[in-house]
Amino acid sequence: MSGTVSTFFVLGVLSLVATVPVSAQRVHWPHETPPPALLAPDVEFPDYQLHRLENGLQVVYVGAHEQPAVNLRLLVRAGASSDPTDKSGLAALTAQLLDQGTANLTAQEIAQAIDSIGGGLSVGAGTDLSFVNILVLKDSFEFALAMLSDIARNPAYTEAEIDRQRQQLLSEIQISYDDPAYVSNMVFEKLVYGSHPYGMPHNGTQGSLSHMTRGDLVEFHQRHYLPNNSILAIVGDVTAQEAFDGATRVLEDWPRGDLPTPNLQEPPPPASRLMIVDKPGAVQTAVRVGHLALPRAHPDYLSLDVAIKILGGEGGNRLGSVLRTERSLTYSASAEMSGRQFAGDLMARTDTRSVATAEVLRLTVDEISKMRRERVSGQELRRAKDYLAGNFPLTIETPNAIAAKVLEAILYGLDLDDLETYPERINAVTVNDIQRVARQYLKPGHLSMVLVGDASSFVDDLSGVGFDSYEVIPISELDISAVDFRRTKNAAKGKTLEGKDRRSRYYRLLRTRSLSHSF
Amino acid sequence: MQMVAAITLPAVGLVLLSTTVFSAVRPPKFDYRISTLENGMTVVLSEDHSTPIAHVEVWYRVGSKDEPPGRTGFAHLFEHLMFKGSQNVQSDQHLSFISSVGGDGNAYTTEDATVFFQTVPSQYLPLVFWLEADRMATLRIDQRTLDAEREVVKEERRFRYENEPFGLLSEILYDHAYTTHPYKHTPIGSMVDLEAAAIEDVRAFFETYYVPENATLLVVGDFETDKVLQMVEHYFGRVPKARRPVPREIPREPPQRSEKRITLEADNWPLPTVVVAHHITYDGHPDAYPLHIASKVLSDGQSSRIYRRLVYTEQLAITAFGQGNIIEDPNLFYAVAVVPHGTRPKQAEAALIEELERLKNELITDEELERSKNQFARDYVIGRFTNAQKAAHLAHAAVIHNDITTADGEFDIFINVTKEDVRRVARTYFTDENRLVMTILPHGSGEVGSRSR
């Protein structure tokens, strides 16, 4: 990275636009260019250690001795992608019930034990993994190991707890269906992934949850929660010896098992489709545009990721420039790649006032087309690379962040040596690379497009900007598990669920006292 | 499967303690240097060499509570404008500079402060100081820029509050809880007031509040204090002093004399919600600490009182919690429950009020007190992992408390809170006449009204 700010910015600064100084008082302020950088320090990927137990459990250790805390994170390689077709939400429910009772402790006893030592415990599942996360102050390290083992290996899955969780989740269906962000993401994923498990809401639907049985949960747990299917990270104020000895002592008797073989059909090839979910009265439309892309471990992932960042990420963000800076059409516009285990997608997203929806959709699609059609300038690529390479030390600031990168590499089968060479690999990306991956993987003619908002405000504008073909579904009739997305009269109202920590959502309502400048 | 409520579990090694012991673990103290420039700006520097990065924050002591009626949302709008150009920096170029060196930057506005922050690889500290000083001294805004950014802020209001389920909860609650103090409105402000913001307001606001004596600079990261102090002197020392003192006259909220009960319907409201709110004290008052402990007893963790009773055992709520919003001026303690279909809001309301009453009538248990203290120690520890977090802690102490030593000192205050303290503050603040009960319903629910007794 150069030690001085590039000439682009110097020239930009010197050509001042005539604007009015805000301060009325005369300020003697020099006309200046930005100062040069100090000497750049070395950036190295911090130390970590890996160990594998006899039963196949991989253990990652990252020492962190500044704060007297220890964080244990167990990842099990099974998530929504392992849900049977009619049982979406199985991985999620199996995980969410882990801390609601074991063979040894009731749900409230677990809560009591964790809370009384000031610990934190969370469980859950995503598309490709499930997790148990325990944070304690360092003097409770042994307790945390024992608790993690009990929760991961001996969940009770009592009928009472299953019903309790189910009721909670079914209630949340109501709320998620009123959230345009949630609905637009859900419909987008369904369009992109079709009947692949990534296409179903990973917390399930009302239909699938209502039919889930204790037997389903026990079977999922037995099949997937195996030490040779899991990775444990120990991050914190313990020594490597303490970490590995502790993990061995508590988990070595966890019996290994045969790994289930994933049996997944390919997602459908990208096809152009515009789906409008009508929410009358909505003041904004949630806009999601994209298509299938690459799984995380694909060799072209890095280059395509840089291209998408130029389109809508930090260090670039053409979408943000056009939609927010130039035209004030949105508070936030972005694009990102989502690279998962078996497949991936790229998605541009923004939200805009209802009447501007058609214009925003047109501009968004145009930027994707332009990305494919035109070579990026050397300058623009340089800026993106400067950000990504320069940002590297910020992404490994904390021991937990370091562990997260190691876990990601292990989970996706990436080369661990690549962790250290990220800045070099980024800097090696060329304009030709970007052009190649843009041409190969961007398909502006085969986009999945979703608009969730007040259709009456914008639907008549669509053909005027080139979108003649679209479907409109009232939000009250939306059923994500139906082939045509529409609830049939006899089917239960198909609604979907918000996956994340439920309490954090409502805390945010009153806790968030502040407003950020940008996303 | 048989449930065994064991006290010890040799096979697993779990021991359930019948009483808890306060953990001896405590977080390390901050190491910092605080000083004041001649122009009045406060500077706090704290070294951390664990990663070759540095985090810089500038806190301006102005927020939505400084906004007069008719100009709600202005402090936040102004925060946006601070990115729109100064003498040596073009519009939006501040963040471009930051990202061109691999940094991340943003800003936020609260009721009490406006904060501009960025993390950069540590060799770019001079650039950050240069940028922050340039806009502090020479912000340039024209009508066109104001108009364009106003539209962006309106989209933000739509995005965060109007278009989301329950998005307007804070706005509704605070509008009814306050009559006079500017906490009556929220930082985003109203659409009408955003429309009314004028270019003259921008100049007046800048000259009044964006002055060195109203600013605190924090730097946490990989640097040497002496060298950085010199740099800070160079870049910020030349920002001229304020011409007049910063006004601090905020209208006080008169005490509430009788209970208020309001039922209303709101947009984007999927399920009935009950809020029981009481006016409390400010951040730094001795009563604040037992109130924080009360928050933990009520809703930190799944063994907490409100969670256990309303969500787990009686299933009166999908989500429920009770906490104090303890900020610069006296704000609220609120207990909230979102009620599922099939449950009457009145049941949840009664349960929430009972839980608040319990804190007045009985002492919390020794176990609950120790648990809360251990949870507090945990919060302290996990709230200090990153440079940004450390900077925010130090800033909060320096700016809101006006006493940077509280960044570490508060820990000891919390450790010494007693069960009697918790009961005392409950009796002081959770009174009938100081209570607001709001029931917010989806449209079409039929029951609307308000009553003051």
Side-chain angles (χ1 to χ4, degrees), chain B residues 45-122:
Chain B
L45 305 177
S46 179
E47 292 183 24
D48 178 341
H49 299 281
S50 56
T51 320
I53 64 178
H55 178 87
V56 180
E57 293 195 357
V58 183
W59 281 55
Y60 291 93
R61 204 168 155 222
V62 60
S64 62
K65 79 171 186 297
D66 298 284
E67 294 160 356
R71 287 294 180 274
T72 64
F74 194 84
H76 169 245
L77 172 60
F78 192 87
E79 177 227 295
H80 275 241
L81 296 175
M82 280 288 277
F83 291 87
K84 290 307 198 175
S86 47
Q87 182 166 302
N88 294 306
V89 182
Q90 286 200 321
S91 184
D92 294 304
Q93 211 173 29
H94 182 116
L95 288 180
S96 292
F97 275 129
I98 298 297
S99 78
S100 76
V101 301
D104 294 314
N106 209 326
Y108 63 86
T109 308
T110 71
E111 296 87 339
D112 304 323
T114 310
V115 182
F116 300 84
F117 60 91
Q118 50 260 302
T119 307
V120 293
S122 55

Side-chain angles (χ1 to χ4, degrees), chain A residues 29-62:
Chain A
W29 197 255
H31 289 271
E32 284 180 338
T33 56
L38 305 170
L39 193 61
D42 287 327
V43 180
E44 277 172 12
F45 197 88
D47 286 333
Y48 62 93
Q49 291 185 47
L50 281 178
H51 192 61
R52 189 190 292 260
L53 304 190
E54 296 264 333
N55 58 10
L57 178 70
Q58 290 176 281
V59 185
V60 178
Y61 164 75
V62 183

Side-chain angles (χ1 to χ4, degrees), chain A residues 23 83 103 216 256 268 287 374 414 420 472 506:
Chain A
S23 174
D83 287 343
D216 294 328
R256 64 154 72 220
V287 180
E374 298 173 11
L414 306 175
E420 322 208 5
V472 182
Y506 305 109

Side-chain angles (χ1 to χ4, degrees), chain A residues 78-387:
Chain A
S81 52
S82 303
D83 287 343
T85 313
D86 56 340
K87 296 197 170 122
S88 65
L90 180 55
L93 194 57
T94 301
Q96 280 162 29
L97 280 161
L98 291 174
D99 66 348
Q100 301 300 309
T102 68
N104 300 299
L105 298 170
T106 66
Q108 281 294 299
E109 284 169 344
I110 293 170
Q112 189 86 12
I114 276 285
D115 291 349
S116 68
I117 57 165
L121 168 60
S122 61
V123 292
T127 46
D128 294 312
L129 58 87
S130 303
F131 67 87
V132 178
N133 200 51
I134 302 186
L135 171 85
V136 293
L137 297 174
K138 69 165 289 181
D139 55 358
S140 299
F141 175 56
E142 291 299 328
F143 166 87
L145 277 172
M147 177 64 81
L148 182 130
S149 177
D150 195 30
I151 282 173
R153 296 161 66 175
N154 310 318
Y157 296 126
T158 61
E159 295 289 357
E161 294 298 348
I162 295 171
D163 282 336
R164 192 178 270 114
Q165 279 298 307
R166 201 203 313 264
Q167 280 312 117
Q168 285 271 102
L169 295 174
L170 291 174
S171 289
E172 296 211 356
I173 284 168
Q174 203 90 26
I175 297 164
S176 294
Y177 252 60
D178 275 341
D179 184 353
Y182 186 81
V183 171
S184 61
N185 291 340
M186 176 180 72
V187 173
F188 176 79
E189 301 215 321
K190 186 67 179 178
L191 288 176
V192 169
Y193 293 107
S195 52
H196 188 286
Y198 289 160
M200 286 306 287
H202 74 262
N203 276 302
T205 65
Q206 189 174 55
S208 66
L209 280 181
S210 303
H211 296 122
M212 224 162 269
T213 66
R214 183 177 187 277
D216 294 328
L217 302 171
V218 169
E219 207 233 343
F220 190 95
H221 181 264
Q222 280 173 354
R223 183 194 297 247
H224 295 283
Y225 283 66
L226 303 168
N228 49 318
N229 203 28
S230 305
I231 314 161
L232 172 66
I234 300 177
V235 180
D237 194 15
V238 290
T239 64
Q241 196 67 47
E242 286 169 331
F244 292 129
D245 283 352
T248 305
R249 193 171 2 96
V250 174
L251 293 165
E252 69 178 345
D253 64 340
W254 188 7
R256 64 154 72 220
D258 293 328
L259 291 180
T261 45
N263 179 20
L264 300 167
Q265 75 272 48
E266 292 291 308
S272 175
R273 194 165 175 191
L274 172 51
M275 181 82 65
I276 299 169
V277 180
D278 184 21
K279 186 173 190 245
V283 297
Q284 264 191 347
T285 304
V287 180
R288 305 290 186 264
V289 177
H291 56 60
L292 200 63
L294 300 174
R296 182 66 185 84
H298 194 284
D300 283 332
Y301 189 88
L302 186 85
S303 297
L304 187 58
D305 194 40
V306 175
I308 298 304
K309 285 187 155 67
I310 291 172
L311 175 66
E314 281 291 343
N317 204 349
R318 289 179 176 180
L319 283 172
S321 296
V322 168
L323 294 176
R324 174 171 162 159
T325 310
E326 285 172 28
R327 296 166 190 247
S328 299
L329 288 170
T330 186
Y331 168 65
S332 165
S334 61
E336 65 175 10
M337 290 255 286
S338 169
R340 305 175 188 181
Q341 192 72 264
F342 302 105
D345 62 83
L346 56 93
M347 184 180 83
R349 65 181 287 171
T350 190
D351 302 80
T352 189
R353 52 188 174 276
S354 307
V355 297
T357 303
E359 181 186 359
V360 164
L361 180 62
R362 178 78 264 154
L363 289 166
T364 303
V365 171
D366 284 350
E367 284 303 317
I368 296 173
S369 299
K370 187 177 152 197
M371 195 69 218
R372 183 178 191 279
R373 200 175 58 237
E374 298 173 11
R375 274 168 80 80
V376 303
S377 72
Q379 214 169 58
E380 210 176 358
L381 177 58
R382 179 78 262 157
R383 208 160 66 220
K385 294 200 298 189
D386 282 349
Y387 173 72

Side-chain angles (χ1 to χ4, degrees), chain B residues 252-303:
Chain B
R252 287 169 161 262
E253 180 71 13
Q256 184 178 309
R257 298 284 181 214
S258 60
E259 188 190 68
K260 286 202 257 194
R261 289 178 158 272
I262 295 163
T263 302
L264 52 79
E265 293 179 355
D267 287 339
N268 259 329
W269 213 271
L271 289 170
T273 305
V274 178
V275 183
V276 178
H278 293 267
H279 286 271
I280 54 169
T281 184
Y282 59 88
D283 186 356
H285 187 283
D287 288 350
Y289 306 93
L291 284 170
H292 276 301
I293 297 289
S295 301
K296 290 202 169 316
V297 169
L298 288 175
S299 55
D300 192 335
Q302 291 186 12
S303 69

Side-chain angles (χ1 to χ4, degrees), chain A residues 403-474:
Chain A
K405 282 193 180 295
V406 176
L407 290 173
E408 184 193 18
I410 296 175
L411 199 68
Y412 292 110
L414 306 175
D415 189 345
L416 282 167
D417 291 336
D418 279 355
L419 290 174
E420 322 208 5
T421 59
Y422 181 77
E424 289 75 36
R425 289 182 293 118
I426 281 291
N427 279 321
V429 174
T430 66
V431 172
N432 287 339
D433 291 329
I434 299 294
Q435 180 161 56
R436 177 183 64 79
V437 295
R439 289 220 175 125
Q440 194 170 342
Y441 299 112
L442 286 181
K443 300 178 193 311
H446 299 85
L447 289 165
S448 297
M449 297 167 280
V450 183
L451 304 172
V452 179
D454 178 47
S456 70
S457 300
F458 60 80
V459 80
D460 291 340
D461 300 330
L462 288 170
S463 59
V465 286
F467 298 104
D468 295 305
S469 170
Y470 50 81
E471 303 149 76
V472 182
I473 300 180

